[in-house]
Amino acid sequence: MRLPGRGRATPWLFLAPALLLFALFKFLPMWRAVEMSFHEVRPYLGDRWVGGANYTQVVTDEAFLAAIGHTVVLAIGQTGGSVLLGLVLALLLEGTARRLWIIRTAVFLPTVTAMAVVAEVWRILYHPAADGAVNTLLGWLGVGPSQFLNDPDSALWSVMAVGVWRGAPYDMMIFLAALAGVDRTLYEAAAADGAGVPRRLWHVTLPALRPAFTILFTLAAIRSLRVFTEIFLLTNGGPDGSTEVLMTLIYKLGLERNELGVAAAGSMVLLAASVTLTLAVRLARTGTGKGATR
Amino acid sequence: MHRRAASTTLAASLAALLALTTLTACGGDSGADASGGGDDKAPLEIWVRKPPGSPTEKTHKDLAAAFTKATGIEAKVTALFDDFETKLQQAAAQKKLPDLIVNDTAQLGTLVKQGLVREVRKSEIQGGEQLIPSSWEAAEAADGKYYGVPFSAQTFALFVRKDWREKLGIAPPADWDQLDALAAAFTTGDPDANGKADTYGYVIPGTTKRGYLDWYFSSFLWSAGGDYFTGTGKDLKPAVDGPGALLAARRLKDQFCAAKSVVPGAVTTETTQAHPLFESGKGGIYLTGPYNMARFDKALGKDAYEILPLPAGPGGKSSVLAEGENTYLMAGSGNPKGQVKYAEFLIGAEGQTAGMAGDTAGNVVRLPVNPSVKLSAVRQDTRWQVFDKVYRESGRYSPVVKDWTPFRQASAEALNGMVADCGSHPEAVLGKLAGAFSTELEKQGAGS
């Protein structure tokens, strides 16, 4: 005899292990963070309810506002830079020749290298004296030496350059995959119509890459909002707070100053920003999609 | 349609409920009460802030083994170095703290504020009354109670490239002007004779991470006649913008901006990145602790550098940051009596002598806190005597406030901003810092 509702419960039974793990490692910590954001957190003395005080501190704190500014600048710069450089690399390295695969693999290396190694290498490259590697190159051009990570005016741009250097190959791979799907006959038709390389690029390639752009912008923007490792390893937010971003500030508040409640409130603000951004992109895509079908 | 939706919701709710029930069952353990009871034979878990695999970890493990042999209580040492405090926070969040930790004295306020450590009555610690009295200052919190047992003391001295100094024909510095002149000579005089301008005077870990720049600056601040606060107890007032502090800050900034005698990159350099700058011959003057002698001996050779006390500053004296490590008895331990026994073992003659590890790199007791243990009897290396003398004559611990960490962090950030921006005004920077101190004092209920 068949039990009533058994068929409908089956998918949920299969989903249960995954739901359990998600609840354990994602939703419960998130709920705990929400709770903490309304408390002064004292693990062994008992948390003290402070209402919205942590949020007030977050949104009025000068350091937080500066960190939000740096995060946005970094997000825009790194996303734009990586996408642009990734596209250029993809166009240069598109094709099926075996040698190209070797070059692509070499270009892709920064993305798969551990951030700790990347940071250490760039710290050496950026050595802010005339005998530093990049400064030696600048010296040949009659410029510098630059302080790079050690000057509040140049630190954020220097970190951004590392982010672009590391992120571009990842974007390149997505573009390469998208380029492989472009109908070759369109190029031939465009060439037959007398279109040169720039026109073919503008009228055939870029429209075909639109879905790839959307995915990359969404992923990169969200990734950039949560940037932490490169800043933590390269500058730790300094000098003079010029590279402080939301994540490093939250880390400092939570784990260096032990203001876990304020740090949790900061995390909630960041979560809200990420969700808003994701929804905005989704809505924009839906809007574009509707427009396209009309 | 409605029935299907209802059953779907029901199934989802059941799955979520199942998940939450399991989690609640997992999260209920809060450990034994620290106030008493417990199992006197329960094994002790000890965390030490030492690099895993290092000779210092081995010394701690040897100490634990000797303790087990003497008492029959099992003791397991875990060495953690990077992000020790982070891992401790994670353990606290899970309410599964180790039984004891051996960590920096400067962490006292933070640990007390969060209730992670339990109070220690001096009288309950056998042998506690015999310790060097000043060493107990490192375990005293703002409420006048003790929350740790001193284990090791240390202070800082100048590591100076002797070979460079002699090559340039300059005498050891006797005051700050001579010290700065030596730094300038190291920067411009090509002391390594390679024909390149690639050497500098000062090695400074100037990052804000863990408040390193303030850590470095405090000895200069005090020696210049400045201070962090005036007053005592609940009547503390910021003094970090006073004349002595301003003088020290100006000198620090001048080294970065005018003399340019600091190794480039200092404003983002932490200690692990600063040590190689001294041992690779980039900088010739480094105010640091005795624990670096072993690695510098290996990299540079013993004869290449010398250990000198920080000369007296314009304040007329030298006051050098004293710190070290305490044994903290953590909250929630299942074996409170075992905790006390372990702390007692570490301050006893056997524990202190073994912790000093002779002249090896495995020393975890830099300077003994137990006066019955004679430094010179355990260590032949006379350079240790310099640190011992500095500690006894000029050593000064961080101010006693409820939680020193926010002050140190604020100070490091202000100073970092000052030296990173050569257009900054030290008066304005210190004035703003004093304001931040005032707010923090009020927050901690320690002044206005």
Side-chain angles (χ1 to χ4, degrees):
Chain A
M1 193 184 132
R2 191 186 154 99
L3 288 170
R6 186 182 150 191
R8 283 175 220 125
T10 310
W12 288 105
L13 284 174
F14 277 107
L15 277 174
L19 281 173
L20 239 162
L21 287 173
F22 260 70
L24 184 60
F25 294 111
K26 259 199 151 94
F27 302 130
L28 196 81
M30 272 171 76
W31 173 246
R32 175 74 185 123
V34 174
E35 252 186 350
M36 282 163 73
S37 69
F38 293 103
H39 288 88
E40 184 194 339
V41 181
R42 305 178 307 169
Y44 270 83
L45 299 174
D47 295 350
R48 197 184 282 154
W49 174 263
V50 292
N54 291 336
Y55 284 95
T56 313
Q57 190 176 331
V58 166
V59 294
T60 55
D61 189 355
E62 212 178 280
F64 249 103
L65 298 177
I68 289 171
H70 298 149
T71 309
V72 171
V73 171
L74 206 60
I76 293 171
Q78 258 178 219
T79 307
S82 302
V83 168
L84 196 68
L85 188 61
L87 178 63
V88 171
L89 286 171
L91 291 172
L92 288 174
L93 300 176
E94 191 203 5
T96 50
R98 185 172 289 272
R99 278 177 201 153
L100 280 176
W101 272 108
I102 298 167
I103 299 171
R104 274 182 218 151
T105 310
V107 170
F108 194 60
L109 277 178
T111 302
V112 290
T113 309
M115 194 59 222
V117 178
V118 169
E120 209 42 54
V121 167
W122 275 95
R123 272 190 73 86
I124 295 166
L125 292 175
Y126 273 153
H127 183 64
D131 58 344
V134 182
N135 271 326
T136 305
L137 295 176
L138 290 178
W140 292 342
L141 301 171
V143 202
S146 169
Q147 287 294 301
F148 295 114
L149 299 168
N150 291 276
D151 186 332
D153 295 330
S154 59
L156 193 64
W157 307 110
S158 304
V159 173
M160 194 186 286
V162 177
V164 170
W165 176 83
R166 191 160 190 260
Y170 176 82
D171 294 2
M172 173 194 79
M173 291 310 257
I174 303 218
F175 280 129
L176 281 172
L179 282 172
V182 180
D183 190 350
R184 301 276 135 184
T185 56
L186 291 173
Y187 286 125
E188 286 160 18
D193 287 346
V197 173
R199 276 180 170 272
R200 270 180 272 167
L201 198 66
W202 185 253
H203 291 291
V204 179
T205 314
L206 288 182
L209 291 179
R210 200 178 289 152
F213 273 115
T214 313
I215 292 167
L216 282 175
F217 276 127
T218 314
L219 288 178
I222 292 170
R223 199 174 52 211
S224 302
L225 273 183
R226 294 184 302 177
V227 63
F228 174 74
T229 323
E230 45 264 64
I231 302 273
F232 184 69
L233 294 170
L234 283 167
T235 61
N236 192 42
D240 198 13
S242 59
T243 58
E244 199 79 88
V245 288
L246 273 173
M247 283 293 283
T248 52
L249 194 61
I250 289 168
Y251 174 88
K252 278 182 189 170
L253 280 167
L255 300 166
E256 286 185 1
R257 289 201 183 194
N258 304 304
E259 303 257 19
L260 286 167
V262 185
S267 306
M268 288 302 120
V269 171
L270 186 59
L271 177 71
S274 305
V275 170
T276 311
L277 188 69
T278 314
L279 288 178
V281 172
R282 273 190 77 95
L283 281 174
R285 279 184 71 190
T286 317
T288 319
K290 273 178 189 165
T293 52
R294 259 181 220 137
Chain B
M1 183 75 185
H2 284 297
R3 278 182 62 193
R4 174 182 272 191
S7 65
T8 308
T9 314
L10 180 68
S13 309
L14 281 174
L17 188 67
L18 176 71
L20 283 173
T21 323
T22 319
L23 293 170
T24 317
C26 291
D29 178 27
S30 61
D33 187 356
S35 58
D39 174 5
D40 295 352
K41 288 287 166 195
L44 296 173
E45 193 185 343
I46 300 140
W47 285 11
V48 295
R49 191 171 175 275
K50 296 286 174 255
S54 64
T56 47
E57 180 197 27
K58 190 181 173 301
T59 306
H60 267 297
K61 288 195 163 167
D62 291 346
L63 281 167
F67 171 76
T68 304
K69 202 174 163 194
T71 61
I73 302 171
E74 254 184 72
K76 186 189 159 225
V77 168
T78 303
L80 299 161
F81 189 71
D82 289 324
D83 304 320
F84 183 92
E85 283 82 23
T86 309
K87 283 159 189 160
L88 198 64
Q89 288 297 329
Q90 288 163 348
Q94 295 168 25
K95 299 206 171 185
K96 280 186 181 163
L97 286 169
D99 298 279
L100 298 114
I101 63 167
V102 180
N103 195 14
D104 294 344
T105 54
Q107 289 298 318
L108 179 83
T110 307
L111 294 169
V112 173
K113 183 182 147 199
Q114 294 193 304
L116 302 188
V117 284
R118 68 182 180 93
E119 190 192 337
V120 173
R121 277 183 289 277
K122 264 164 118 176
S123 55
E124 100 181 287
I125 304 292
Q126 209 180 339
E129 72 287 347
Q130 291 165 9
L131 300 188
I132 296 173
S134 63
S135 68
W136 273 106
E137 282 174 29
E140 188 182 354
D143 60 4
K145 295 175 183 167
Y146 298 92
Y147 291 91
V149 180
F151 167 60
S152 163
Q154 72 168 23
T155 189
F156 300 89
L158 294 170
F159 287 56
V160 176
R161 282 296 294 262
K162 190 181 173 195
D163 52 349
W164 289 8
R165 185 180 61 72
E166 287 177 348
K167 187 185 164 289
L168 297 172
I170 302 170
D175 58 34
W176 283 17
D177 287 338
Q178 288 181 18
L179 184 63
D180 288 348
L182 183 65
F186 282 176
T187 308
T188 56
D190 190 21
D192 61 354
N194 69 351
K196 291 181 193 162
D198 58 355
T199 54
Y200 299 86
Y202 295 107
V203 173
I204 299 179
T207 176
T208 54
K209 196 172 184 184
R210 298 189 85 225
Y212 275 127
L213 186 52
D214 176 70
W215 226 305
Y216 176 86
F217 179 69
S218 53
S219 302
F220 292 92
L221 167 75
W222 290 322
S223 300
D227 210 337
Y228 290 99
F229 307 111
T230 53
T232 51
K234 288 195 179 297
D235 295 317
L236 288 175
K237 282 190 170 54
V240 76
D241 54 348
L246 194 57
L247 199 148
R250 276 197 188 123
R251 289 190 83 106
L252 181 72
K253 192 189 156 197
D254 282 350
Q255 296 312 315
F256 276 87
C257 297
K260 296 189 189 299
S261 60
V262 181
V263 179
V267 289
T268 53
T269 301
E270 53 186 279
T271 48
T272 48
Q273 293 154 347
H275 303 337
L277 296 175
F278 184 75
E279 59 194 9
S280 65
K282 279 273 174 205
I285 304 170
Y286 188 17
L287 182 77
T288 186
Y291 43 82
N292 276 321
M293 287 195 297
R295 68 177 283 174
F296 292 164
D297 283 355
K298 212 170 163 187
L300 284 172
K302 240 179 183 177
D303 299 332
Y305 71 98
E306 59 199 339
I307 313 275
L308 305 173
L310 180 70
K317 57 174 185 163
S318 177
S319 286
V320 181
L321 180 66
E323 48 180 29
E325 291 188 318
N326 287 330
T327 309
Y328 296 103
L329 282 53
M330 307 305 284
S333 169
N335 186 357
K337 283 185 187 160
Q339 285 180 304
V340 173
K341 275 190 184 165
Y342 198 80
E344 286 170 351
F345 175 76
L346 290 185
I347 58 170
E350 187 192 345
Q352 290 277 292
T353 307
M356 285 167 74
D359 284 322
T360 71
N363 64 79
V364 292
V365 173
R366 320 292 191 200
L367 304 172
V369 291
N370 186 334
S372 73
V373 179
K374 288 276 169 276
L375 187 75
S376 54
V378 184
R379 293 195 179 123
Q380 309 306 312
D381 189 340
T382 51
R383 294 175 302 176
W384 280 98
Q385 308 290 342
V386 179
F387 289 99
D388 195 40
K389 194 164 181 276
V390 170
Y391 175 69
R392 285 168 193 268
E393 293 175 5
S394 321
R396 183 169 172 178
Y397 285 97
S398 296
V400 179
V401 282
K402 230 177 195 173
D403 187 359
W404 174 238
T405 312
F407 293 102
R408 190 181 58 208
Q409 197 65 34
S411 173
E413 277 162 21
L415 294 167
N416 180 271
M418 183 187 75
V419 297
D421 173 13
C422 288
S424 62
H425 300 286
E427 300 91 330
V429 171
L430 293 188
K432 201 174 167 198
L433 178 63
F437 270 26
S438 195
T439 310
E440 186 61 35
L441 278 173
E442 212 171 322
K443 199 169 158 193
Q444 296 191 14
S448 55

